[in-house]
Amino acid sequence: MSDLFAFNGAQGAGYAQPKPISEAFTIPVDLQRSKLPRWPRASEPEIVRHYTWLSTRSHGIDSGFYPLGSCTMKHNPRVNERIVQMPGMNDLHALAPASHLQGLMAIFHEMQEMLAHCAGMDTVTLQPVAGAQGEFTAMRCIQEYHREIGQSNRDKVIVPDSAHGTNPASAAMCGYDIIEIPSLENGRLDLDALRAVVGDDTAAMMVTNPSTLGIFEPEIAEASEIVHAAGGQMYYDGANFNAILGKTNPGLMGFDAVHYNLHKTFSQPHGGGGPGAGPIGVKEHLSDYLPAPLVVADEDEEGEIWFDWYSPPKSIGKVQQWHGNSGATVRAWAFYRRYGCDLEKMSEHAVLNANYLRHRIMNPSQEVLNQIHAMPIDGAPADVVKHEFTLSMTPVKDVTGVTGKDMAKRLLDYGYMAPTLYFPMIVPECLMFEPTETESKDAIDQFADDFLHILTEDPELVKTAPHDTPVKRVDEVWAARNLILRHPCDGE
Ligand SMILES: *Cc1c(COP(=O)(O)O)cnc(C)c1O
């Protein structure tokens, strides 16, 4: 069978190798397979159809509204892809010398500077490839800092009960004990609860602000003072940066270290563990511990700017191969460059959209209200929220038996991605919405109308949803316990 036939034919392999240009390049006989592997065999058209079909069985930001709270699923501008695929970005080798990578390094350097500026930090590393990895990296820097100043006895990390699960998990991976403090009735930080647990064993406090309830912590500066007075460090979970960028920054709030989720705040296709970037920024006293390499700018004799790699002297070591997820960094750079000085407009629109959606859902017309079995309650009692908000479905569950999960499943039938469910855990039957700045008023109005309409539907219909998706209600526990992660190509 010729290679061309293999490529196009129905029995084909879906790939073609160029013919060797000389005998010297053929694989020695004793290294060749005696039996074909039991891989699925399909022609190129069959493979294209398979993946195109698969792509239509899922929901993505390009197929519809995706209000997944905390995840910041914003539109990914196509220009980002154009830029990241330019040969100067795409065809580089990780081992190429700095002199061959000046363009990419200029982008890295600009990102380091921009991110440091936005967060009020001194030094940024682009190494970590996820928010969670950024958390771990920063907590390790804090740990080394304490060791160096003779305070390695500090082994406790304080987190509020509204924290994202990665916060306690990252601290625990560094070997810290976690102290969880309860939030106040109104969802805010409880400073008395904080005062009761800080001490000379406090290594750090980790805080998300605005919190996962979408509300800004007005007493954050005081919380920082309490922790600093006890000798602890303040860590800022930057997943909610979309709410405050250009308006205020964690440096002003008293934080010592932050992570950025570039794939959230600065767009980038993500989800399902997809590619991301979780750079961290730190204040000067932590800078020497950052993982290498950083990019530094120098001037040569002719006044020409020159970029070089730099390893901080007391670095905790590498947390990622090569230069981190450079593709994600370049996409985020392209995104930010389009906004330029108007970056704060992004946050303004994100906050406006969240408040508008919340207002629309919580204030149905009298006509609609008359048909609704029960209304959810506001999970974050505050006049204004930031870029996301929570609702508790408890009253609806009490009257009709429809849970937050049922509501989320029914929204799939209407062509929406479900909101985040049962997080934060302090709101019972929690649904968490984040529309992001890239949704139009029309899209938000339609979603609010559909959400309210579901509250008027026959509860049985909602409890058995989804009805119109390729896969109906799945047994999530079974799926999580019985993972099938590879094709049975060995025949078992
Ligand atoms: C997404 C998120 C994280 C973790 O970020 P990843 O990039 O998913 O690892 C941490 N905290 C909050 C509040 C988040 O929303």
Side-chain angles (χ1 to χ4, degrees), residues 419-436:
T420 294
L421 270 191
Y422 301 135
F423 173 76
M425 290 191 281
I426 52 178
V427 177
E429 290 299 324
C430 187
L431 294 180
M432 183 191 209
F433 303 86
E434 181 181 7
T436 88

Side-chain angles (χ1 to χ4, degrees), residues 203-259:
M205 179 179 194
M206 302 178 84
V207 186
T208 312
N209 190 27
S211 72
T212 56
L213 295 173
I215 49 178
F216 192 83
E217 302 283 4
E219 295 180 317
I220 191 65
E222 206 175 331
S224 296
E225 273 168 34
I226 294 168
V227 173
H228 283 153
Q233 297 281 297
M234 285 294 281
Y235 179 81
Y236 183 84
D237 176 332
N240 291 345
F241 240 120
N242 216 39
I244 61 154
L245 220 130
K247 295 290 176 192
T248 180
N249 71 54
L252 291 172
M253 300 174 206
F255 286 92
D256 304 284
V258 323
H259 81 252

Side-chain angles (χ1 to χ4, degrees), residues 70 130-132 135 164 166-167 208 212 237 239-240 259 261 263-264:
S70 213
E135 293 169 21
H164 194 265
T166 51
N167 292 185
T208 312
T212 56
D237 176 332
N240 291 345
H259 81 252
N261 302 67
H263 46 288
K264 295 179 181 175

Side-chain angles (χ1 to χ4, degrees), residues 179-427:
I179 301 182
E180 184 180 280
I181 56 168
S183 303
L184 294 170
E185 279 286 289
N186 61 13
R188 295 197 161 131
L189 268 183
D190 184 344
L191 294 192
D192 288 333
L194 174 59
R195 281 190 197 94
V197 297
V198 286
D200 50 18
D201 59 354
T202 302
M205 179 179 194
M206 302 178 84
V207 186
T208 312
N209 190 27
S211 72
T212 56
L213 295 173
I215 49 178
F216 192 83
E217 302 283 4
E219 295 180 317
I220 191 65
E222 206 175 331
S224 296
E225 273 168 34
I226 294 168
V227 173
H228 283 153
Q233 297 281 297
M234 285 294 281
Y235 179 81
Y236 183 84
D237 176 332
N240 291 345
F241 240 120
N242 216 39
I244 61 154
L245 220 130
K247 295 290 176 192
T248 180
N249 71 54
L252 291 172
M253 300 174 206
F255 286 92
D256 304 284
V258 323
H259 81 252
Y260 314 78
N261 302 67
L262 293 191
H263 46 288
K264 295 179 181 175
T265 314
F266 295 92
S267 84
Q268 153 92 18
H270 70 286
I280 61 168
V282 297
K283 287 281 176 85
E284 188 155 12
H285 63 282
L286 297 172
S287 299
D288 282 352
Y289 306 96
L290 290 175
L294 272 51
V295 177
V296 287
D298 258 338
E299 237 176 84
D300 66 13
E301 287 114 53
E302 277 107 59
E304 193 85 30
I305 302 286
W306 190 251
F307 298 100
D308 214 344
W309 301 115
Y310 167 74
S311 296
K314 301 167 196 159
S315 174
I316 60 163
K318 283 187 79 69
V319 294
Q320 192 65 31
Q321 70 276 36
W322 309 121
H323 316 310
N325 194 348
S326 60
T329 305
V330 172
R331 285 186 186 87
W333 174 82
F335 179 87
Y336 129 76
R337 268 307 192 98
R338 278 183 89 208
Y339 274 100
C341 304
D342 282 337
L343 207 47
E344 69 183 288
K345 290 265 182 321
M346 174 180 98
S347 303
E348 284 171 10
H349 288 147
V351 171
L352 179 64
N353 276 359
N355 280 281
Y356 180 66
L357 177 59
R358 179 182 187 230
H359 178 82
R360 277 290 332 269
I361 289 180
M362 294 314 291
N363 297 282
S365 69
Q366 193 57 47
E367 195 193 333
V368 173
L369 198 55
N370 290 342
Q371 300 168 38
I372 282 175
H373 305 297
M375 278 293 286
I377 46 172
D378 229 323
D383 292 339
V384 265
V385 288
K386 285 285 176 280
H387 65 307
E388 63 191 2
F389 65 95
T390 54
L391 297 181
S392 169
M393 289 286 285
T394 302
V396 182
K397 185 180 168 192
D398 290 347
V399 173
T400 64
V402 167
T403 62
K405 179 169 161 179
D406 299 330
M407 187 64 178
K409 299 281 183 198
R410 185 64 179 142
L411 282 165
L412 303 178
D413 284 335
Y414 283 76
Y416 301 115
M417 181 66 191
T420 294
L421 270 191
Y422 301 135
F423 173 76
M425 290 191 281
I426 52 178
V427 177

